[in-house]
């Protein structure tokens, strides 16, 4: 299957700081990528759609000014959590399609805000 | 409102003890249903896509089936390495296959 990577795998930051998470498609190009969030013992929830060459679209209830998304190239999307707070601590996962209908997911980034 | 419900929440199996997981959905105009496997601390790993009622897909000890109201993931003679959380998901909108609505998952533990 297609390979999606994320960096970093884990990050700890202080409350009020910003954190950038990268999502890369390693062996295919993706004009669209998706960002999900997963809280402990819960399932994945879609946060936003990252579009190469245009603005990201956000799901209802997700603050676009807090979760900045930039689709810099056909293989890279970044999610920046601005002014992070402890309630933003979560597992952030990106996905991308590689040509079929299925999504391929990255390994996830564990964010802990202290 | 579209809903995806998985049962049971957790399943403990002895090695070799076959079982089935259920994913029921209330989605108008289902376009497809996905099964994923997720190991702790990792992203979901794609298993199957099912498009229409009556369709079946197999991979090693796993077999996924689809009816008009639900999907089943059958695990035949499971091994400890089949221990994981199994997620089903449906595309939530008509304009994108990537906007997935996930069920809560079934956590499967297979003991030797």
């Amino acid at each position: 299957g297609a390979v999606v990577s994320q960096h970093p795998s884990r990050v700890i930051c202080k409350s009020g700081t910003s954190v950038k998470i990268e999502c890369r498609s390693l062996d295919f190009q993706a004009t669209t990528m998706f960002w999900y969030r997963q809280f402990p013992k819960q399932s994945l929830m879609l946060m936003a759609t990252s579009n190469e060459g245009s603005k990201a679209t956000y799901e209802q209830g997700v603050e676009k000014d807090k979760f900045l998304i930039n689709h810099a190239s056909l293989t890279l999307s970044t999610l920046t959590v601005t002014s992070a707070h402890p309630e933003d601590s979560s597992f952030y996962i990106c996905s991308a399609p590689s040509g079929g209908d299925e999504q391929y997911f990255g390994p996830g980034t564990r964010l802990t805000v202290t | 409102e579209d809903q995806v419900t998985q049962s049971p929440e957790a399943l403990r199996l002895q090695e070799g003890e076959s079982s089935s997981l259920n994913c029921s959905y209330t989605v108008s105009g289902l376009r497809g249903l996905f099964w994923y496997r997720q190991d702790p601390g990792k992203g979901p790993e794609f298993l199957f896509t099912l498009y229409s009622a009556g369709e079946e897909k197999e991979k090693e000890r796993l077999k996924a089936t689809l009816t008009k109201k639900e999907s089943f993931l059958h695990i035949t003679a499971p091994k400890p390495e089949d221990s994981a959380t199994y997620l089903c998901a449906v595309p939530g909108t008509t304009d994108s296959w990537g906007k997935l609505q996930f069920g809560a998952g079934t956590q499967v533990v297979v003991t030797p």
Side-chain angles (χ1 to χ4, degrees):
Chain A
V3 180
V4 177
S5 71
Q6 285 185 239
H7 177 80
S9 57
R10 292 175 177 271
V11 58
I12 301 173
C13 70
K14 292 187 182 296
S15 187
T17 62
S18 295
V19 173
K20 181 185 284 188
I21 301 169
E22 292 186 349
C23 174
R24 293 182 185 272
S25 56
L26 296 187
D27 52 358
F28 64 99
Q29 293 182 332
T31 56
T32 305
M33 293 181 174
F34 301 87
W35 287 95
Y36 290 80
R37 180 166 52 180
Q38 186 175 33
F39 291 106
K41 304 294 184 183
Q42 296 185 25
S43 195
L44 285 79
M45 293 293 291
L46 178 66
M47 297 176 64
T49 303
S50 175
N51 303 296
E52 193 270 337
S54 64
K55 290 183 179 180
T57 56
Y58 294 81
E59 296 302 299
Q60 191 171 7
V62 178
E63 300 175 59
K64 63 179 181 180
D65 294 331
K66 181 168 188 61
F67 298 100
L68 301 181
I69 291 172
N70 181 32
H71 203 122
S73 74
L74 289 172
T75 59
L76 174 64
S77 174
T78 60
L79 169 69
T80 301
V81 183
T82 62
S83 187
H85 292 285
E87 57 265 31
D88 298 322
S89 298
S90 188
F91 193 49
Y92 291 87
I93 314 173
C94 66
S95 75
S98 73
D101 296 325
E102 67 274 13
Q103 294 291 306
Y104 289 91
F105 285 83
T109 296
R110 174 76 59 194
L111 170 63
T112 302
V113 184
T114 60
Chain B
E1 183 180 321
D2 297 344
Q3 284 198 334
V4 181
T5 305
Q6 290 188 246
S7 62
E9 290 184 12
L11 191 59
R12 193 173 185 88
L13 302 171
Q14 291 269 4
E15 185 171 3
E17 179 187 0
S18 302
S19 188
S20 293
L21 316 181
N22 177 266
C23 171
S24 63
Y25 58 88
T26 54
V27 175
S28 56
L30 183 75
R31 296 180 295 142
L33 183 143
F34 302 99
W35 280 98
Y36 285 88
R37 166 194 171 126
Q38 186 176 27
D39 293 306
K42 297 189 176 180
E45 175 189 343
F46 172 72
L47 293 174
F48 303 110
T49 309
L50 301 167
Y51 290 101
S52 57
E55 188 175 1
E56 298 182 350
K57 294 266 180 81
E58 282 190 71
K59 179 181 179 180
E60 296 181 357
R61 294 176 294 281
L62 301 177
K63 179 179 173 180
T65 61
L66 182 66
T67 72
K68 288 186 177 180
K69 293 185 178 181
E70 56 195 347
S71 178
F72 294 93
L73 184 67
H74 308 277
I75 310 178
T76 301
K79 297 182 178 181
E81 52 262 42
D82 294 321
S83 298
T85 296
Y86 291 86
L87 301 166
C88 68
V90 299
T93 67
T94 57
D95 64 339
S96 173
W97 283 88
K99 293 184 177 182
L100 296 177
Q101 181 172 353
F102 281 87
T106 294
Q107 184 179 21
V108 174
V109 174
V110 183
T111 56

